[in-house]
Amino acid sequence: MIQNLLQTPIEYLKGVGPNRAEVLKKELNIKSYRDLINFFPNRYIDKTGFYKINQLQRNSSDVQIVGKIVHMKMVEQKRGKRLVADFVDDTGKMELIWFQGHKWIRENLKLNTPYVIFGKTNWYNGTFSMPHPEMELVADYKKNLRTAMQPVYPSTEMLLKKGITNRVIMKLMQEVLQQTGLKFSESISPGLIEELKLLSKAEALFNIHFPKNQELLAKAQFRLKFEELFFIQLQLIRRNMLHKQKIKGFSFDQIGEYFNDFYQNHLPFDLTNAQKRVIKEIRSDMGSGAQMNRLLQGDVGSGKTIVALMSMLIALDNEFQACLMAPTEILSIQHYNGLKELCKNLDISIYLLTGSTKTSKRREIHEKLENGEINILIGTHALLEDKVKFKNLGLAVIDEQHRFGVAQRAKLWKKNHIPPHVLVMTATPIPRTLAMSLYGDLDISVIDELPPGRKPVKTVHRYDSNRLKVFAFIRDEIKKGRQVYVVYPLIQESEKMDYKDLMDGYESIAREFPDEQISIVHGQMKPADKDYEMDRFVRAETQIMVATTVIEVGVNVPNASVMIIESAERFGLSQLHQLRGRVGRGAEQSFCILMTGHKLSNDSKTRLETMTSTNDGFEIAEVDLKLRGPGDLMGTQQSGVLNLKIADIVKDNSILHSARFYASKILKEDPNLSEDKNLVIKNAYSRLVKNNTIWNYIS
Ligand code: ADP
Ligand code: MG
C-alpha cells in the first residue's frame, strides 16, 4: 500500500542510512518518505539547452556545456592558490576555476572524458571562465532520471557540511519517486480536477521536483498550492459549521422600539452602505439561533461605533443586556460619553466600569447589573471580573481586538448560561487573506467605505533637520484654530530613554510655543492625571498634545488636524496608520508629518513611503505583512500558524480565494462529505487529519 510505503522511516531509503537520516531529521524535519516528497524546491535552474563555447555571450548567465578537461594546473596568486583547468569542446576553449577543494578535484576529475558542466560564465582577458562549475560525467548524465529543469532545494550549512548537497537531495528524490511508482492517492475529486483543469496528484508531485518544462512547473505549483489552501479552508469552514450546530445562542427575533426609534429619529447621519450591510449581517446572525462569533473589520474612522450601538439596541429590544469592552480607560470613557450622547433621547441606562471606578459606585453597578436596571455596560478589562454578573447578557462587543487575547474572549462567553453573542471590532485591518486563514472560524464583516466628505489625511516625511519649517507649519495651523498631536515612540513602557526623549521633546515644544497651552500624556501617569490632560485637549483648552502611543487607539478629537510623529522610523506600519487615524476626523484638511533622522534602513524607507503614498489601511496591512511576515504580525502566539509548505499567503491570494470558494461550496452542498463525488476529498481529509499534516490552528 502506498500509504504504508510513505510512512517508511527515511533512513531506509537507498542512499540515506542512519547518519544522513539524523541530519535530515534535524535540519529539515524529514523523517519519512512522505516528508521527503513534500520537501519542495525553492527554485529551478533551466537547463533546457546546451551551449557551445563559441556561442557564449558576455552576459554572465548560467549555461550548460559539454566538453572535456584537457589540462589542469595550479596558479599561485597573492590572494591564494587557484586550480585552473582548460576545458574544450569542438568549437573552442575556456577555463574552469576552483578556489577551494583542489585536492578532491584533482583526484576525482577525469582528463579527456566528456563532462556536462553548468554554471555562471565570466569573461576576462579574452577568455571565458566558469568558477566552481557543477560537473557530471556525460555517461551518468544520460543514465539519470533526466529533466530539463533542475530543482534547487533549500539548504543549510550543516547539510552541506555533512555532504548532503543539492545533488544528493535530487538523487534521494529520484529514488523515492521511483519506489513509489508515482502511485499517489488522489486527494481532489475528479469533478474539481476537471473544473479547474488541475494536474493529477502524481503529475503534480513529479513535476514539482523534476519539471519537464516551465508550463508543467507552473501547473504543478498551482495544483499543490491550491490543494494546501483548500484543505486548510475545508477544515476551518467545517469547524465553523460545527460550531454553529453545537453552540446554541440566544435568538434575537425582534427588531423593536429601541432600534427603530433610534434608526428613524435619532441617527445623527445617514449610514454608509457598508455600515448598513454589516448591520444586516449582524442582525441575521443574532437571529439565527446559533451563537454569533463575528469579527468586524473597518479602517480607523469607518464608523464601527454606531454599528456596535445598533447591534446592542437589538439585544435590548429582545430584553437582553449588552456590554462594550475597550482596551484602555481613555477609550472606555470616550465610548461612554459618545454613546450617552447618541442615546440621550432613548430611555436606556448606560454605565461605565473601569479600574478606577470608586468602590461605592462599583457596588451600585454590580447590583443594577444583576437586577437588570443597567442596559449597557461599558468598560475595560474590569468587566471580566467574576464579581461582574449580568442579569441577562445577550451581546458582548469587544473594541480593538488585538489587545485582548483568546482567553478574555472566553471569559465573556461565561457571563451567561448560554454564551452571549460576541462581536469583535478591529481597526487594525488584517489583510483579508490572513483573516481568512486565521479567523476562518469566525465570520467576518468588513466596513470598506468611509463616511462621505472625509478629506484624506495628507502625509509627508520630513527630516529632523527641517524641524524649524515644521514648527512654522504647526504655528499656522494653531492660528487657524486647530489642535496638534506630537507623538513620541514608546515601544517599551519602561524604557528610560524613551521618557527622556518625550520630556526633552515636551520642553523644546514648550520653549518654541510659549503662548500655547500644552498637554502631556504618557503611560506612567496616574489614570486620573491622564484623563485630566486628555480632557483639557478634548475641550480645546490645550492646543498641543505631547504624548506617547497611549493615544494610539480610538481617541476622537475632530478639531485636531495635525499629527506629528517623532522618530517615525521606530514605529511599525500598522501603528503609524493607527496614529494617523487620530486626525482627519473633522471637516478640515488634516496632516500627518513623519519625522526622522537621515539614517534609515530599507524597511523603514518602505514603511515611510507606504505611509506617504496611501491612506488605505488594507493596503498598508498587506505591505506590513510582506515586511514582517504573518507570524510576527499576529504575535508570537500564533506564529506557527501559517507554516505553509508551498503556498504564500501574500502572493497566492487569488488561489486562496478560489480554494475558499470551492471548500465552502462543497461543504454547503455536502457538510459531511458523504456523497460519492466527494469521497476522494473525504478520504484525503481524514488522512491529513490523522497524520496531523493539516496545520494546527489555534481556536
Ligand atoms: P471607528 O471605526 O474608527 O471606531 P468611529 O465609530 O469612531 O470610527 O467613527 C468615526 C467618526 O465618524 C465619528 O465621529 C462618527 O460619529 C462618524 N461617523 C460614523 N459613521 C458615519 C456616517 N455614516 N456618516 C458620517 N459620519 C459618521
Ligand atoms: Mg473606534
Side-chain angles (χ1 to χ4, degrees), residues 301 304-305 331 335 399-400 425 427 554 585:
K304 294 184 291 294
T305 316
L331 197 49
H335 272 316
D399 198 11
E400 314 294 356
M425 307 199 291
R585 308 192 140 232

Side-chain angles (χ1 to χ4, degrees), residues 425-698:
M425 307 199 291
T426 170
T428 308
I430 303 161
R432 269 199 92 93
T433 14
L434 193 57
M436 268 159 63
S437 328
L438 287 175
Y439 295 101
D441 60 336
L442 285 186
D443 292 301
I444 302 174
S445 289
V446 181
I447 306 186
D448 50 7
E449 182 187 355
L450 291 181
R454 290 275 169 80
K455 292 199 183 86
V457 179
K458 283 192 181 146
T459 305
V460 294
H461 169 208
R462 293 285 178 264
Y463 291 108
D464 292 336
S465 46
N466 283 325
R467 188 167 295 279
L468 288 181
K469 279 195 187 146
V470 173
F471 281 150
F473 176 75
I474 295 179
R475 197 164 285 120
D476 285 349
E477 288 295 301
I478 293 178
K479 250 188 226 141
K480 290 188 212 154
R482 307 287 114 71
Q483 288 164 282
V484 178
Y485 292 104
V486 184
V487 177
Y488 286 83
L490 199 66
I491 313 305
Q492 294 289 328
E493 291 271 324
S494 57
E495 273 184 23
K496 286 206 182 81
M497 265 310 287
D498 288 342
Y499 275 103
K500 188 173 176 314
D501 285 355
L502 176 76
M503 296 324 281
D504 288 353
Y506 175 76
E507 271 161 31
S508 82
I509 284 171
R511 247 179 285 124
E512 189 66 31
F513 298 94
D515 302 332
E516 310 299 346
Q517 297 296 313
I518 303 169
S519 284
I520 180 162
V521 170
H522 59 75
Q524 292 194 341
M525 286 163 74
K526 288 205 193 92
D529 297 340
K530 251 195 269 183
D531 294 346
Y532 174 77
E533 285 294 321
M534 214 39 236
D535 241 34
R536 294 209 307 147
F537 190 67
V538 171
R539 286 198 303 259
E541 289 171 17
T542 58
Q543 286 70 50
I544 302 175
M545 158 71 74
V546 177
T548 60
T549 46
V550 292
I551 60 143
E552 180 187 334
V553 266
V555 187
N556 193 16
V557 183
N559 189 51
S561 66
V562 181
M563 166 67 60
I564 314 278
I565 303 177
E566 295 287 346
S567 306
E569 77 279 5
R570 291 180 55 192
F571 292 87
L573 255 181
S574 75
Q575 226 179 354
L576 289 173
H577 182 63
Q578 285 296 311
L579 285 168
R580 177 168 61 182
R582 297 308 107 212
V583 296
R585 308 192 140 232
E588 306 304 329
Q589 176 63 57
S590 291
F591 304 89
C592 174
I593 304 178
L594 307 169
M595 303 293 300
T596 75
H598 278 277
K599 254 199 200 152
L600 293 171
S601 70
N602 283 339
D603 276 9
S604 303
K605 278 184 203 152
T606 307
R607 287 197 295 267
L608 295 166
E609 276 158 24
T610 306
M611 284 296 292
T612 52
S613 65
T614 180
N615 274 297
D616 180 337
F618 284 91
E619 209 179 310
I620 288 170
E622 294 281 354
V623 177
D624 205 22
L625 180 61
K626 277 177 210 166
L627 286 179
R628 298 164 60 178
D632 192 35
L633 194 68
M634 300 310 299
T636 46
Q637 161 205 21
Q638 292 158 351
S639 59
V641 168
L642 291 163
N643 195 1
L644 299 174
K645 276 209 183 310
I646 182 162
D648 178 318
I649 208 83
V650 177
K651 291 191 204 124
D652 298 321
N653 198 324
S654 68
I655 304 179
L656 173 61
H657 278 269
S658 146
R660 186 170 174 85
F661 172 81
Y662 285 102
S664 130
K665 185 171 151 210
I666 288 168
L667 284 175
K668 241 178 227 153
E669 289 167 8
D670 182 14
N672 294 315
L673 301 174
S674 47
E675 289 175 24
D676 271 358
K677 64 173 183 188
N678 293 325
L679 186 66
V680 172
I681 294 178
K682 183 183 182 148
N683 289 341
Y685 185 76
S686 347
R687 270 198 312 274
L688 288 169
V689 173
K690 199 174 111 219
N691 293 323
N692 209 8
T693 33
I694 302 190
W695 292 239
N696 284 321
Y697 278 72
I698 50 131

